[in-house]
């Protein structure tokens, strides 16, 4: 099985987890990079006019991303990592899933968060993309259970 680890990381936390998964699974890895980088002020969730707040308050918001060098369609299993924003995935993940036709792929979400779980994002993703094979996914911060990760891929 060919495995790709994709992710968005604004503070570096999700990237650290993605790189550990890459090493653990012998996978390829590529970051989903926004076309316009987020600056600190963009990420201020206490400011209702910050870029992140405005995106998350608009369900149809689809910020663009830079072209990937790897083709997700060439993989069997695609891990998609993200920090939890407003109890769900950042809209950049939705842009990625809108762009690629991943119907015949195994999608394994993983998230990082200091306080929220992954359940809200899994429900949201499954509602937006009912034709995708979205696995249960895991909230990963420090400890990664390799057996649980491998079980999700089946």
């Amino acid at each position: 099985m060919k495995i790709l680890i994709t992710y968005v990381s604004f503070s570096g936390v999700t990237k650290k987890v993605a790189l550990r998964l890459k090493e653990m699974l012998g996978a390829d890895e590529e970051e989903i990079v926004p076309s316009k980088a987020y600056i600190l002020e963009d990420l201020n969730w206490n400011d209702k006019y910050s870029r992140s707040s405005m995106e998350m308050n608009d369900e149809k918001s689809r910020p663009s991303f830079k072209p990937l060098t790897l083709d997700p369609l060439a993989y069997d299993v695609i891990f998609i990592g993200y920090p939890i924003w407003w109890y769900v995935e950042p809209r950049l993940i939705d842009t990625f899933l809108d762009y690629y036709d991943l119907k015949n792929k195994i999608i394994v979400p993983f998230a990082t968060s200091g306080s929220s779980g992954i359940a809200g994002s899994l429900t949201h993703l499954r509602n937006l993309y009912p034709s995708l094979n979205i696995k249960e996914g895991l909230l990963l911060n420090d400890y990664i259970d390799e057996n649980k990760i491998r079980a999700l891929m089946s």
Side-chain angles (χ1 to χ4, degrees):
M1 258 196 287
K2 286 186 70 175
I3 303 168
L4 176 63
I5 312 290
T6 59
Y7 60 94
V8 295
S9 187
F10 303 101
S11 67
V13 173
T14 307
K15 182 175 188 164
K16 256 177 45 177
V17 172
L19 294 176
R20 287 176 38 219
L21 282 172
K22 172 188 176 178
E23 185 178 311
M24 179 184 291
L25 299 172
D28 292 334
E29 160 269 326
E30 185 161 6
E31 184 171 2
I32 302 166
V33 178
S35 295
K36 179 184 175 198
Y38 288 79
I39 60 173
L40 192 56
E41 290 81 12
D42 293 335
L43 302 172
N44 182 358
W45 58 274
N46 289 312
D47 176 359
K48 68 180 181 177
Y49 298 107
S50 73
R51 181 174 163 197
S52 60
S53 294
M54 292 176 61
E55 287 174 2
M56 295 309 290
N57 285 321
D58 179 2
E59 182 71 33
K60 295 184 185 330
S61 176
R62 294 296 186 268
S64 63
F65 61 92
K66 293 180 180 178
L68 299 181
T69 58
L70 299 174
D71 180 6
L73 301 179
Y75 294 84
D76 306 301
V77 178
I78 301 164
F79 282 76
I80 300 177
Y82 48 88
I84 299 291
W85 281 10
W86 288 259
Y87 305 102
V88 296
E89 74 286 351
R91 300 286 183 237
L92 192 57
I93 294 297
D94 301 336
T95 306
F96 175 81
L97 290 171
D98 285 349
Y99 187 81
Y100 290 103
D101 180 8
L102 303 177
K103 285 186 187 118
N104 297 316
K105 309 299 178 183
I106 295 170
I107 309 295
V108 182
F110 68 96
T112 56
S113 174
S115 60
S116 301
I118 193 172
S121 70
L122 295 174
T123 299
H124 189 252
L125 287 168
R126 288 178 178 138
N127 286 337
L128 281 177
Y129 306 101
S131 65
L132 296 183
N133 181 11
I134 299 174
K135 296 297 186 173
E136 202 50 39
L138 291 170
L139 187 67
L140 301 173
N141 287 312
D142 293 321
Y143 175 72
I144 299 176
D145 183 334
E146 186 172 352
N147 292 326
K148 280 187 181 178
I149 295 295
R150 292 194 182 280
L152 289 172
M153 297 188 311
S154 57

